[in-house]
Amino acid sequence: GGEAGRSLQGLPRQVSRKKLRSGGLRRVRLWDPLLRGFHWSLAFFVILSWCLGQFGPAKMTLHFWSGYVITGLLIFRLVWGFIGPAPARFAHFLRGPGAIRDYASHMFLRQPSYWPGHNPLGALSVIAMLAVLAAQVTTGLISDPDDYINVGPLAKYVASSTRSTAVGLHELGANLILLLVLLHIAMILFYRHW
């Protein structure tokens, strides 16, 4: 079971409002400047790629270049998740099913949880976003929509059926990314106002 007062790496999981009012807590910057830069760069290029894919010109050159930047950002995040400062490491915020269940059972109590970094559900969201973006980049690299213009640079290395399937998966991925971004924004609003 999960007691509300249990601690995580020495930090209180939930803190009373009295302690908060008494000044016993202080706000800290948990994520390093590189991770913050990664986040906002990824947000910019994902939005740019999505808009170019939906509304952009027929020739997708800018969409491709934006996708290449996203690829580089994803590689950075993967490496930084293992060698970056402790709060940036995947081991810092990934939790098992028990922690996820415990957190989910307390998240509507209208009490701050004070998780250091991403809470267990937020960690799942991070992994989901990174995985969907990696799949999106992969399908974009091998897609061939049969228009002879917007062929992914690696499409010639896979079978014709794989290239065609990748086009459909790339379109599905765009919708999944939109859903995950909207969920991300909704959860930020939930935590700010709940």
Side-chain angles (χ1 to χ4, degrees), residues 4 12-20 25 111-114:
R13 196 155 138 227
Q14 291 188 328
V15 178
S16 71
R17 291 177 192 261
K18 181 179 177 185
K19 179 144 178 118
L20 182 61
L25 295 177
Q111 291 180 305
S113 63
Y114 295 103

Side-chain angles (χ1 to χ4, degrees), residues 45-54 56-57 59-70 136 140 150 170 174:
F45 284 102
V46 165
I47 292 167
L48 178 65
S49 289
W50 191 88
C51 289
L52 287 169
Q54 298 297 315
K59 188 170 181 188
M60 302 292 281
T61 305
L62 289 175
H63 181 82
F64 283 7
W65 281 105
S66 183
Y68 300 149
V69 172
I70 291 170
Q136 188 71 351
N150 299 310
H170 199 68

Side-chain angles (χ1 to χ4, degrees), residues 144-158:
D144 183 356
D146 291 327
D147 64 2
Y148 305 104
I149 298 172
N150 299 310
V151 179
L154 303 180
K156 63 185 173 190
Y157 299 110
V158 300

Side-chain angles (χ1 to χ4, degrees), residues 1-193:
E3 289 182 34
R6 208 168 14 169
S7 67
L8 174 69
Q9 296 179 350
L11 297 171
R13 196 155 138 227
Q14 291 188 328
V15 178
S16 71
R17 291 177 192 261
K18 181 179 177 185
K19 179 144 178 118
L20 182 61
R21 282 192 300 267
S22 71
L25 295 177
R26 63 185 174 92
R27 184 173 263 194
V28 296
R29 285 195 180 253
L30 190 61
W31 291 298
D32 61 279
L34 287 177
L35 194 57
R36 288 176 183 274
F38 158 82
H39 176 269
W40 291 111
S41 297
L42 186 66
F44 174 80
F45 284 102
V46 165
I47 292 167
L48 178 65
S49 289
W50 191 88
C51 289
L52 287 169
Q54 298 297 315
F55 312 111
K59 188 170 181 188
M60 302 292 281
T61 305
L62 289 175
H63 181 82
F64 283 7
W65 281 105
S66 183
Y68 300 149
V69 172
I70 291 170
T71 302
L73 288 168
L74 291 174
I75 291 168
F76 163 79
R77 185 60 184 105
L78 181 64
V79 170
W80 209 240
F82 291 104
I83 68 167
R89 293 184 185 182
F90 298 124
H92 181 263
F93 62 84
L94 291 178
R95 300 283 171 239
I100 294 167
R101 183 187 63 247
D102 182 45
Y103 180 81
S105 70
H106 293 98
M107 72 182 276
F108 294 105
L109 292 180
R110 294 190 67 92
Q111 291 180 305
S113 63
Y114 295 103
W115 277 87
H118 290 292
N119 64 55
L121 290 176
L124 289 179
S125 177
V126 168
I127 297 306
M129 181 67 81
L130 294 175
V132 170
L133 286 171
Q136 188 71 351
V137 163
T138 302
T139 58
L141 290 170
I142 62 171
S143 288
D144 183 356
D146 291 327
D147 64 2
Y148 305 104
I149 298 172
N150 299 310
V151 179
L154 303 180
K156 63 185 173 190
Y157 299 110
V158 300
S160 176
S161 61
T162 303
R163 293 191 298 260
S164 296
T165 301
V167 172
L169 292 174
H170 199 68
E171 291 174 7
L172 173 65
N175 292 327
L176 288 174
I177 290 166
L178 177 62
L179 181 67
L180 288 171
V181 167
L182 292 174
L183 179 63
H184 180 63
I185 293 168
M187 292 312 296
I188 290 169
L189 293 173
F190 169 78
Y191 285 114
R192 296 264 169 142
H193 298 290

